[in-house]
Amino acid sequence: MGTLEQVRLPQPDLGGVEIGTVLQALADPVRLQIVRLLSELGQAPCGGLDLPVKRSTVSHHLRALRESGLLETHLQGNTRVSRIRREELDRRFPGLLASILDAAPAAGATPTEADDARTGGGR
């Protein structure tokens, strides 16, 4: 297997990412929950995230978060492992991620299987 650089999935240069792109990605409750989980875990594969949506929906959201610049994903064998690009995000948008992660979730804001229907997910 190659080095981490060789197996990292494509991600945008954060220097070209606008704050609106990051906020839009985090506006989805499932994506916000993923970022909160990864903040606690450090890194995790798709199947390692305990979410009330189907795995294909989690995969969809992980890709959206990666494409918006929030996550880095690399391959470990056949598994895609994701982590937050915290240091880079803190340099580009100082305090933003900490403020979002520290904010209390809205009452009753739990992602549901309805999110799967909206994103076309299925097991």
Side-chain angles (χ1 to χ4, degrees):
M1 179 182 260
T3 67
L4 184 61
E5 275 307 308
Q6 294 171 325
V7 294
R8 184 177 294 144
L9 297 182
Q11 61 191 20
D13 174 5
L14 279 179
V17 173
E18 296 296 327
I19 193 167
T21 302
V22 172
L23 293 174
Q24 184 176 4
L26 292 171
D28 184 285
V30 175
R31 292 182 193 150
L32 181 56
Q33 189 173 7
I34 288 170
V35 171
R36 285 189 168 134
L37 285 170
L38 287 173
S39 178
E40 293 172 15
L41 298 171
Q43 66 178 17
C46 177
L49 298 169
D50 185 24
L51 295 163
V53 294
K54 295 179 181 167
R55 191 169 177 170
S56 61
T57 300
V58 175
S59 179
H60 162 79
H61 287 302
L62 287 170
R63 180 178 178 172
L65 287 165
R66 180 175 48 85
E67 290 176 348
S68 69
L70 284 155
L71 300 184
E72 171 184 292
T73 303
H74 63 276
L75 297 175
Q76 287 183 348
N78 291 330
T79 304
R80 294 175 182 218
V81 179
S82 297
R83 72 171 188 85
I84 299 171
R85 296 171 68 184
R86 186 176 302 270
E87 290 178 19
E88 295 169 272
L89 285 163
D90 287 344
R91 278 194 305 272
R92 176 74 170 113
F93 306 110
L96 176 69
L97 190 58
S99 296
I100 290 170
L101 293 175
D102 291 343
T110 304
T112 65
E113 293 295 327
D115 293 310
D116 284 329
R118 189 179 72 240
T119 60
R123 285 192 200 250

